[in-house]
Amino acid sequence: MQPSDGPKVDDFLQVLAGSSAERFKFLHGVLGISACRQLGIYPLPEGFKLSVVIPVYNEKQWVRELVRRVRDVPIPKEIILVDDCSTDGTREILREMASDEIRVFFQEHNRGKGAALREGFAHATGDVVIIQDADLEYDPAEYPRLIQPIIENRADVVYGSRFIGESHRVLYFWHYVANRSLTSLSNFFTNLNLTDMETCYKVFRREVLAGLKLKSNRFGFEPEVTAKIAKKRHPAWRVYEIPISYSGRTYEEGKKIGLKDAFTALYCIVRFWLMD
């Protein structure tokens, strides 16, 4: 390489870094269309924006790194954080992070994940909305593959499944049993064939959320939103699952969901299928 080639390479790399369309064009030429699709490399529609809604409760240890990882995803986006009345210093960190790209909202009382998500959805302006937990159990680098079925007009809703093929941290057997049992019961009522109803990663066209009247304040959100998506008819919403990695936490590391939440989910599965 000649010395004069250095600036040309730098200029070329800057063009690729600044334009998803140029990156796709380059990689399409190098890898081919089939390989690009398998890797989640595809052109985004002009003016596309992703809304990342993050409910937060006592995540002082993790929230800065989580937001950094979300910001690093090369997709045009807005980040919406809803603090559910944290008491460990998280609120002060979020106030420092607030900007044009990172919008922060504060609940006056601890109301639960479902309530925080409703608040976040109300402020979302993107074409597609994705739910992101505020810890590091789920990897934002997987956003391109998660939104791909919607971008390609194959789906209206996408669930990221922890149980269909990607790597995961080995943890609690009985949590696994509870997750699979709740998913199976949910499928019995909804006639869907999901493998992971309780997953954090749920992705929606914004109009899907606009058509749902959600009520659950806490972890009942997962079975409620699944039931209401399944009830949609004429036309039905198209639901996809995508395999995701999962790095679960222990209770010592801050995991919050417990046995009480499993019974709440069981109740919500039946309640929201039989009545609104």
Side-chain angles (χ1 to χ4, degrees), residues 200-218:
C200 156
Y201 272 164
K202 295 179 173 69
V203 192
F204 314 88
R205 293 188 191 274
R206 195 173 68 186
E207 54 265 34
V208 172
L209 289 174
L212 299 177
K213 187 176 181 181
L214 299 169
K215 298 179 179 179
S216 294
N217 283 341
R218 298 191 180 276

Side-chain angles (χ1 to χ4, degrees), residues 52-56 63 66-67 79-83 94 97 102-106 134:
V52 183
V53 177
I54 309 175
V56 186
V63 69
L66 182 277
V67 172
I79 301 171
I80 300 170
L81 294 124
V82 182
D83 181 82
L94 295 182
M97 297 172 65
I102 302 172
R103 301 162 64 198
V104 180
F105 302 90
F106 296 97

